Amino acid sequence: MLLRDPSAGEAEGALSAIRQQVSTDLHPRSERGLVQDYLTKWRAAYDYRGKGSTFDRAQEISSIYEQGAPIASTVDGRFS
C-alpha cells in the first residue's frame, strides 16, 4: 500500500478536528480548575478592601491562574 502526502486542505482539516476535540475536552476541566477548585481563593481575592487592595487582589488572582491553569512549560521540564 502506497502512502501519499495529504494536501494542505486535508492536513488543515485533520488538525482542525484535533483542535476542536482538545478544546471541547479542556473546557470543562479548565472551568473546574479555575472556578470550582479555587472558589474560596476567588472570594478571598475579591474581599480585599482599602489601600493597596488592588495590588493584593491582583497577586491573589495571579496565584489562582498559576495553580489552576499552569503554562505547559512549567508543568513538565521536559518540554521547555
Side-chain angles (χ1 to χ4, degrees):
M1 177 177 184
L2 292 174
L3 297 177
R4 66 173 178 78
D5 288 334
S7 70
E10 291 171 326
E12 184 57 39
L15 288 174
S16 180
I18 291 169
R19 286 186 197 111
Q20 180 63 40
Q21 189 61 50
V22 168
S23 177
T24 299
D25 291 348
L26 285 179
H27 182 74
R29 290 181 183 147
S30 63
E31 182 179 357
R32 185 188 75 240
L34 287 173
V35 178
Q36 296 170 358
D37 292 351
Y38 292 95
L39 189 56
T40 301
K41 288 188 175 196
W42 280 108
R43 287 182 177 151
Y46 282 95
D47 281 342
Y48 287 115
R49 299 284 185 264
K51 187 175 183 176
S53 63
T54 301
F55 180 76
D56 294 336
R57 183 177 305 108
Q59 284 188 313
E60 187 72 32
I61 291 171
S62 178
S63 172
I64 293 167
Y65 277 107
E66 286 174 9
Q67 294 172 20
I71 297 171
S73 63
T74 63
V75 174
D76 190 338
R78 295 178 297 171
F79 300 112
S80 49

